[in-house]
Amino acid sequence: MPTKKKPQVTPAAARRGELLTTAAEVFAEHGYNATTVRRIADHAGMLAGSLYYHFDSKESMLEEILRTFLDELWDGYDTVLASGLGPRETLEALVTESFREIDRHRAAVAIYQKESRQLAAQDRFAFLADSQRRFEKAWLSTLERGVAERVFRADLDVRLTYRFVRDTVWVAASWYRPGGQHSPEEIARQYLSMVLDGIAVRE
């Protein structure tokens, strides 16, 4: 069977991607409100007016950054959730996928962590609240299934555990740097060894 060729990336699309990467780093470092189009343009080595050739506003840049991150995150999560794994294996796969997303979209994760609550109040960014509800449902249902199947401890407070897992995974965006000493998979493995020893049923 002939292999499908990857679609060619045009120079304009490549440049757009570079600008979004730059913008994500600036948003993550300085915050959304403190970031101006001029500041993004300065970091990209171009005039502010030239940036408007690619994007109509900083809002549209931020929306594309966050949508791209969340679309990829849910592609991975949905694959895990549809795979029929047991609750422990599902939890392991979700954590691993989360660290892979931090590796791919570290700046976007940092923005999401800092800004999503405030942004979600705007109609343009209502998708952030929708994603958060899906996220909570996926993790809570996995933990509840683990308790019901006696894989996780019967006395486990699933909501408290969800918050702990969520916060300790995503806070890694504040210190993780791609290309470092440990791969996302290795960090996930180390993390899981600490978490699961605390919630799994003792043999």
Side-chain angles (χ1 to χ4, degrees):
M1 231 181 124
T3 57
K4 290 184 179 178
K5 290 184 178 179
K6 290 184 179 179
Q8 293 293 318
V9 178
T10 65
R15 181 57 173 157
R16 183 184 179 86
E18 291 169 2
L19 292 174
L20 286 172
T21 298
T22 299
E25 293 292 344
V26 177
F27 284 133
E29 182 178 354
H30 298 284
Y32 174 67
N33 289 331
T35 296
T36 62
V37 170
R38 181 178 296 277
R39 174 171 268 171
I40 296 169
D42 287 345
H43 278 76
M46 64 195 303
L47 298 173
S50 300
L51 196 58
Y52 285 109
Y53 174 78
H54 300 275
F55 305 96
D56 61 14
S57 65
K58 74 171 188 176
E59 289 83 1
S60 66
M61 298 183 80
L62 182 62
E63 181 180 1
E64 189 165 340
I65 289 164
L66 292 174
R67 282 191 182 277
T68 299
F69 153 57
L70 289 173
D71 285 349
E72 287 194 17
L73 176 72
W74 279 107
D75 281 347
Y77 273 20
D78 286 341
T79 298
V80 170
L81 295 170
S83 61
L85 297 171
R88 179 178 176 125
E89 292 76 18
T90 298
L91 183 66
E92 291 172 343
L94 289 174
V95 167
T96 301
E97 191 60 39
S98 298
F99 279 109
R100 286 174 180 154
E101 284 304 311
I102 293 172
D103 182 63
R104 287 190 285 255
H105 297 287
R106 186 203 61 81
V109 174
I111 297 165
Y112 183 83
Q113 287 289 92
K114 295 175 188 174
E115 312 274 5
S116 61
R117 182 171 296 180
Q118 180 180 352
L119 289 170
Q122 303 176 34
D123 288 344
R124 182 169 194 161
F125 293 99
F127 66 91
L128 296 175
D130 293 338
S131 181
Q132 179 57 39
R133 284 189 287 269
R134 286 179 67 194
F135 188 87
E136 182 173 314
K137 181 180 178 181
W139 287 82
L140 286 176
S141 63
T142 299
L143 291 167
E144 288 166 353
R145 188 159 59 95
V147 172
E149 295 179 14
R150 299 184 179 182
V151 175
F152 302 147
R153 295 192 337 245
D155 64 340
L156 194 69
D157 184 320
V158 293
R159 188 163 291 275
L160 186 61
T161 303
Y162 154 70
R163 289 172 178 162
F164 171 77
V165 172
R166 176 196 64 191
D167 293 347
T168 52
V169 166
W170 293 113
V171 77
S174 66
W175 55 261
Y176 179 81
R177 292 296 179 271
Q181 182 179 357
H182 301 292
S183 69
E185 292 78 12
E186 173 61 17
I187 295 172
R189 189 184 68 78
Q190 293 283 348
Y191 174 87
L192 284 161
S193 71
M194 291 182 281
V195 171
L196 289 174
D197 284 346
I199 70 172
V201 170
R202 303 287 176 94
E203 295 296 337

